[in-house]
Amino acid sequence: MPLIVVTTSPRVAPGLLSRRAWQVLQDGPVRTASADHPHLPYLADAGIAVEVVTADPAALVREAREGTVVWLEADEALMRSIGYAAVALEDPPVIEVVPGSYDLPGARLLDLVAVMDRLRVNCPWDAGQTHESLAPYLLEEAYEVLETIEEGDHAALREELGDLLLQVAFHARVARERSDGFDIDDVADGIVSKLVRRHPHVFAGTEVEGAEEVSDNWETIKAAERAAKNGGDAGSVLDGVPMGQPALSLAAQLLRRAERAGAPADLSAEDAEGVGARLFELVRQAHAAGLDPEAELRAAARAYRDRVRAWESGGASRNGRQSGDGARHTDR
């Protein structure tokens, strides 16, 4: 006779069980050590009696030799104890694990929300954070993600994306505490609605011939959204460009937006003087060539870093290094 262990996912709504799980639970008898197991009310509604007992692996496997026993939920430690108790018997019962529910894609995000709730309440540091105090970490994590992408380190990318995701969850958790605030579901709802609205060729039957038409539709929809926010005034194509971003990426974004609006290419050259104007012109040239100026300059910076390190490891003279000491105070 078997000992049947029915497992469930805490990230799936209670009562949603596989057909096989319902079958074995109905055959019973069913026992669990969790008096507050979320499935108990649903099993009671289905007429399935569940006895709440103290988990005793040795007693369970002995009883299972005489007849079928169904155990609802077992963590890794309990399963290990059940296995040890079974192999200690000369005639151990069959142990079968029946998954009652499976995690859906994205299910672990629910765990992140739960962990963030506990940290916000129980950790003094997490409890004291604000949007303003967290802002530097958001930038730092974003740059660390960028670095792993540039270096092609996909293992590190996974970790850094998790750190960045934490910042989103953290800000949403902080916002939830305000009387006019929002939560992580509102954040997700906003981006889902935006993606659906801006992809009518996927969600609304609009036909497109290629990526260029998709991009054109995107800009048209964005313009309509701006007009709706501004009472019918479409505003400027540059509305929403964050002017506080690094200057190189700022210039590139302004040029992209202006080009989409049909602005003349020579606007960037009008009354242009000084180093800033020359830098802006370099960004314009990179844009015209289909290059990302930020990525190009970062690649050049990395190459320079590697050359300096090679020079250092190549036995540069002590005097040679010291000759630049007088200028080091400027590198701060």
Side-chain angles (χ1 to χ4, degrees):
M1 294 294 178
L3 168 60
I4 304 176
V5 179
V6 176
T7 62
T8 63
S9 169
R11 307 168 197 94
V12 176
L16 296 178
L17 295 170
S18 65
R19 182 171 180 270
R20 172 64 176 153
W22 277 114
Q23 287 176 335
V24 300
L25 288 167
Q26 287 170 337
D27 292 341
V30 184
R31 298 190 178 88
T32 186
S34 305
D36 58 350
H37 196 288
H39 285 272
L40 294 185
Y42 299 89
L43 297 178
D45 286 345
I48 298 174
V50 180
E51 182 182 2
V52 180
V53 300
T54 300
D56 185 339
L60 277 175
V61 296
R62 285 197 302 268
E63 185 180 356
R65 290 195 303 179
E66 308 299 326
T68 299
V69 178
V70 180
W71 184 264
L72 178 60
E73 215 62 74
D75 58 21
E76 183 177 347
L78 179 56
M79 286 299 299
R80 190 162 46 244
S81 297
I82 289 173
Y84 291 151
V87 298
L89 299 176
E90 292 185 4
D91 184 24
V94 173
I95 300 175
E96 179 184 359
V97 177
V98 174
S101 55
Y102 301 86
D103 283 345
L104 299 174
R108 292 291 284 177
L109 294 175
L110 298 176
D111 290 345
L112 175 59
V113 173
V115 167
M116 197 65 252
D117 282 343
R118 291 192 62 180
L119 292 176
R120 186 66 174 171
V121 173
N122 297 316
C123 174
W125 188 88
D126 290 284
Q129 299 309 304
T130 65
H131 292 305
E132 292 74 17
S133 68
L134 290 171
Y137 302 108
L138 180 62
L139 287 173
E140 178 182 324
E141 299 301 349
Y143 280 122
E144 289 183 2
V145 168
L146 178 60
E147 184 174 5
T148 61
I149 293 174
E150 290 175 341
E151 294 179 351
D153 190 344
H154 287 180
L157 176 61
R158 172 184 172 181
E159 179 180 352
E160 297 302 340
L161 284 174
D163 291 342
L164 184 58
L165 178 60
L166 169 61
Q167 298 305 309
V168 176
F170 208 151
H171 279 280
R173 181 61 178 80
V174 171
R176 199 180 81 183
E177 298 167 10
R178 295 172 53 96
S179 59
D180 60 344
F182 53 85
D183 61 17
I184 192 68
D185 286 316
D186 296 317
V187 173
D189 177 69
I191 189 59
V192 167
S193 298
K194 181 184 291 186
L195 290 173
V196 170
R197 187 171 61 250
R198 293 186 181 180
H199 290 80
H201 56 289
V202 176
F203 299 101
T206 299
E207 295 185 3
V208 295
E209 295 184 358
E212 184 175 351
E213 191 171 347
V214 170
S215 181
D216 291 341
N217 287 345
W218 181 282
E219 294 304 320
T220 300
I221 294 168
K222 283 179 63 176
E225 291 171 351
R226 288 195 300 271
K229 287 182 180 179
N230 299 326
D233 181 3
S236 168
V237 71
L238 301 182
D239 289 347
V241 174
M243 300 299 292
Q245 64 181 299
L248 198 61
S249 56
L250 170 62
Q253 187 173 7
L254 290 172
L255 285 165
R256 286 195 304 270
R257 292 283 192 94
E259 182 182 61
R260 290 169 186 165
D266 59 359
L267 279 181
S268 63
E270 288 189 5
D271 301 321
E273 295 181 0
V275 174
R278 293 199 298 274
L279 288 172
F280 196 94
E281 174 60 18
L282 286 174
V283 174
R284 189 199 65 77
Q285 292 175 18
H287 175 70
L291 301 173
D292 178 356
E294 179 78 20
E296 293 298 312
L297 183 56
R298 289 176 66 86
R302 287 198 307 276
Y304 178 72
R305 175 201 62 189
D306 294 341
R307 289 195 297 271
V308 170
R309 287 177 175 173
W311 170 78
E312 289 176 322
S313 63
S317 69
R318 189 175 190 84
N319 289 337
R321 292 193 184 190
Q322 289 177 343
S323 66
D325 286 351
R328 286 185 182 176
H329 69 279
T330 62
D331 186 18
R332 292 183 181 176

